[in-house]
Amino acid sequence: YGSFNFSKSFNFWNSRLFLTSMYSVSEKNQLINSTLNTYQSGSLSLTGKLYIQPHRCFNSEYQIAYYNGQVKMIAPSGKKFPSTAYTSHSWINYFFIGKFLQLGVKQELFDGNRNQKDAYFMDFTVSLERKGQKLTFEFRNLLDSRRYSYNTVQTYVQSETLYNLRLRCRMMKYSCAI
């Protein structure tokens, strides 16, 4: 098992960089039909995040995450199963127009493994703020993506996880400071 964390701030564009990784390997035994089977499972995850604010009227944040999981039979067969891998990307931009108006665009991409259903989302936000009062309009899942999936292999079992996701919707929020 091992992990790594790194973060760094830069004066250039008021930026910050974050890197994280985790790695683990474990060995287990399982008795199946009077035969002792030994298998090794391992996982690796890597995440990177970058925040920049090149101007007081704009900031942006990008994140990429990668996951890979593997299972390998050690005894009796030495068989290696297909790995489970997926990547997700998230990109958020905020625009500050004057003192009262804020626009936001959030995009997310989930990229699955081997013929799996990927998904792309886009949300849009408009916020108006004045004298402690805030009115926000959110337009979620503009492209109406409905699902994504990925496969998982655990010893002798392979499963597919299918996510049914939020529908396209519009929301309005109002808040005020008391």
Side-chain angles (χ1 to χ4, degrees):
Y1 177 82
S3 66
F4 170 78
N5 287 313
F6 173 80
S7 64
K8 175 71 176 152
S9 295
F10 302 95
N11 287 334
F12 178 72
W13 283 0
N14 187 24
S15 25
R16 292 181 280 287
L17 174 67
F18 304 91
L19 300 172
T20 305
S21 71
M22 294 176 71
Y23 176 75
S24 69
V25 175
S26 63
E27 192 171 296
K28 297 180 182 172
N29 296 313
Q30 188 172 18
L31 189 60
I32 299 175
N33 295 333
S34 301
T35 303
L36 184 63
N37 292 273
T38 304
Y39 65 93
Q40 184 181 61
S41 63
S43 67
L44 170 68
S45 67
L46 303 167
T47 305
K49 190 175 193 178
L50 177 64
Y51 170 87
I52 63 169
Q53 187 173 9
H55 192 272
R56 65 180 171 82
C57 296
F58 170 75
N59 68 36
S60 183
E61 183 178 304
Y62 175 75
Q63 178 174 318
I64 184 170
Y66 172 77
Y67 172 81
N68 186 310
Q70 292 190 349
V71 175
K72 177 182 178 185
M73 296 303 298
I74 297 172
S77 69
K79 179 182 178 185
K80 190 173 185 178
F81 294 94
S83 65
T84 299
Y86 62 88
T87 307
S88 68
H89 304 265
S90 175
W91 186 24
I92 305 168
N93 294 300
Y94 287 105
F95 302 90
F96 305 96
I97 302 168
K99 294 181 180 181
F100 311 112
L101 179 62
Q102 175 184 323
L103 303 174
V105 178
K106 180 178 182 179
Q107 300 174 75
E108 295 177 274
L109 173 65
F110 296 93
D111 185 12
N113 176 31
R114 292 190 190 88
N115 301 322
Q116 295 175 20
K117 176 78 175 149
D118 301 337
Y120 176 72
F121 298 99
M122 180 183 284
D123 300 338
F124 185 70
T125 305
V126 177
S127 295
L128 302 164
E129 188 171 359
R130 187 171 183 147
K131 296 182 182 177
Q133 298 180 46
K134 187 172 186 177
L135 181 61
T136 303
F137 299 95
E138 291 185 27
F139 306 93
R140 294 184 162 201
N141 196 4
L142 291 174
L143 303 174
D144 206 21
S145 296
R146 299 285 175 108
R147 56 179 55 181
Y148 77 98
S149 65
Y150 63 89
N151 290 325
T152 305
V153 176
Q154 297 173 336
T155 62
Y156 290 102
V157 178
Q158 180 173 348
S159 63
E160 180 178 11
T161 304
L162 176 64
Y163 287 93
N164 290 311
L165 305 163
R166 66 181 186 246
L167 299 173
R168 183 182 320 175
C169 66
R170 295 175 296 276
M171 295 174 43
M172 184 174 77
K173 295 189 284 187
Y174 174 78
S175 61
C176 65
I178 298 176

